[in-house]
Amino acid sequence: MTQAGPQLRSRAEGLAAALPPLLAQAEHLASTVMLGAHGRRRAGMGDEFWQYRPISQGDEAREIDWRRSAKSDVHFIRQKEWQAAQSVVIWVDGSRSMGFTGDTERPTKSDRARLLALALSVLLVRAGERVGLANLGTPPRSGQLQLVRLADALTGALSEDDYGKPQTPGLPAHARAVFLSDFMGDMEAVEAALAKAADRGVHGTLFQILDPVEESFPFDGRTVFESMGGTLEHETLKAGDLKARYLERLAERKDRLDRLARLSGWLYKGHHTGEGAQSALLWLYSTLERAR
């Protein structure tokens, strides 16, 4: 082996070590999902005509096809095939409630949400799509560097808020979106976010992540319930008496999320951390493929 061999290996190992561990986990999870046909024609250098589409916010005047636009009251953009990549924006709830797990052997809701968000991003980037996080404030991008940016953003600390509110600023028109949350907070905030998304022609998925304990309510006797941020507390001597009422309200919340999603042209799916991440990732990716 030449002297350059060990040096190259050392540099490669150093580079790999610098990658966020979350990205390595996401890459591994993504590799377990078999990608289907993407269903989009591919022109080698992007010279093939793809379609005309109405101009939207963010387009530049030089992109307008004036000959096609002259036949209508609307300005049209002449898209080439390489420009047909879709934008997907992912919001991951970073509130304190997402840090809950009912068993140290299970991931927290936040861990599962972050892993699914990044693994989904890996699949989308491999398929030629642009991906972004709602809280980054930057437009969706493609490429491995973008995945590193997303991984860095997703490994940050949870916020001080007890519950999260979906973020929609800068959501590109006609993009697709995925909201990953326990949706245990203010439902009006979810409704408002979906209304803003619908106004911009954005379709997507509400993906609710819960811990099995939150699904079954296995509490009895004297119990102190406290929010993850410590701002809410309730003590009872008969926790078992609350079970039926809790499960009824949880079912009502799920039903409301489902109805809000359907009214907005979105999808709703429930998932708990006792289930495998692979099936959840496959479902999320397949719904985005069908939405194309």
Side-chain angles (χ1 to χ4, degrees), residues 87-245:
S87 291
V88 179
V89 177
I90 302 174
W91 173 66
V92 180
D93 187 346
S95 65
R96 291 287 181 185
S97 71
M98 293 295 287
F100 175 75
T101 179
D103 190 325
T104 56
E105 297 298 314
R106 282 196 301 271
T108 65
K109 293 181 288 184
S110 175
D111 287 343
R112 178 57 55 86
R114 292 174 174 184
L115 178 60
L116 287 175
L118 194 54
L120 181 61
S121 298
V122 169
L123 292 179
L124 291 167
V125 166
R126 286 180 183 175
E129 311 286 38
R130 297 184 295 262
V131 189
L133 289 179
N135 62 334
L136 279 183
T138 57
R141 296 188 176 96
S142 59
Q144 186 68 23
L145 180 57
Q146 177 68 351
L147 292 177
V148 175
R149 293 191 191 101
L150 300 183
D152 285 339
L154 287 170
T155 51
L158 294 175
S159 73
E160 295 300 318
D161 299 322
D162 265 333
Y163 302 102
K165 297 180 180 180
Q167 299 178 24
T168 56
L171 199 61
H174 310 296
R176 290 168 293 164
V178 177
F179 291 172
L180 298 159
S181 173
D182 58 10
F183 296 109
M184 287 297 204
D186 181 14
M187 288 293 290
E188 281 71 25
V190 179
E191 188 170 355
L194 287 178
K196 290 180 181 178
D199 287 343
R200 298 192 59 76
V202 174
H203 297 282
T205 298
L206 299 179
F207 198 76
Q208 185 180 33
I209 300 174
L210 297 174
D211 186 271
V213 166
E214 295 173 314
E215 296 270 20
S216 61
F217 199 86
F219 305 106
D220 200 9
R222 181 179 181 276
T223 307
V224 178
F225 297 99
E226 186 178 24
S227 65
M228 293 297 291
T231 60
L232 301 173
E233 182 179 306
H234 175 73
E235 182 176 356
T236 178
L237 297 177
K238 299 179 178 180
D241 292 348
L242 301 177
K243 182 172 183 176
R245 195 189 326 167

Side-chain angles (χ1 to χ4, degrees), residues 4 19 33 40 56 66 72 76 81 83 123 127 162-163 193 261:
L19 288 175
V33 174
R40 190 172 71 229
S56 60
W66 296 104
S72 171
F76 284 89
E81 204 161 1
Q83 296 173 311
L123 292 179
D162 265 333
Y163 302 102

Side-chain angles (χ1 to χ4, degrees), residues 20-124:
L22 178 61
L23 181 54
Q25 295 175 32
E27 292 272 10
H28 177 72
L29 177 59
S31 69
T32 67
V33 174
M34 182 68 69
L35 292 181
H38 194 254
R40 190 172 71 229
R41 296 179 302 171
R42 297 178 184 275
M45 297 302 293
D47 292 328
E48 295 292 331
F49 169 73
W50 174 253
Q51 66 179 359
Y52 290 112
R53 66 165 174 80
I55 192 170
S56 60
Q57 185 177 1
D59 292 327
E60 299 181 15
R62 61 184 175 83
E63 298 175 309
I64 297 174
D65 188 290
W66 296 104
R67 180 176 296 180
R68 173 64 181 86
S69 300
K71 300 176 183 178
S72 171
D73 294 331
V74 179
H75 288 152
F76 284 89
I77 299 294
R78 180 185 176 91
Q79 281 187 304
K80 294 180 180 178
E81 204 161 1
W82 68 275
Q83 296 173 311
Q86 298 289 298
S87 291
V88 179
V89 177
I90 302 174
W91 173 66
V92 180
D93 187 346
S95 65
R96 291 287 181 185
S97 71
M98 293 295 287
F100 175 75
T101 179
D103 190 325
T104 56
E105 297 298 314
R106 282 196 301 271
T108 65
K109 293 181 288 184
S110 175
D111 287 343
R112 178 57 55 86
R114 292 174 174 184
L115 178 60
L116 287 175
L118 194 54
L120 181 61
S121 298
V122 169
L123 292 179
L124 291 167

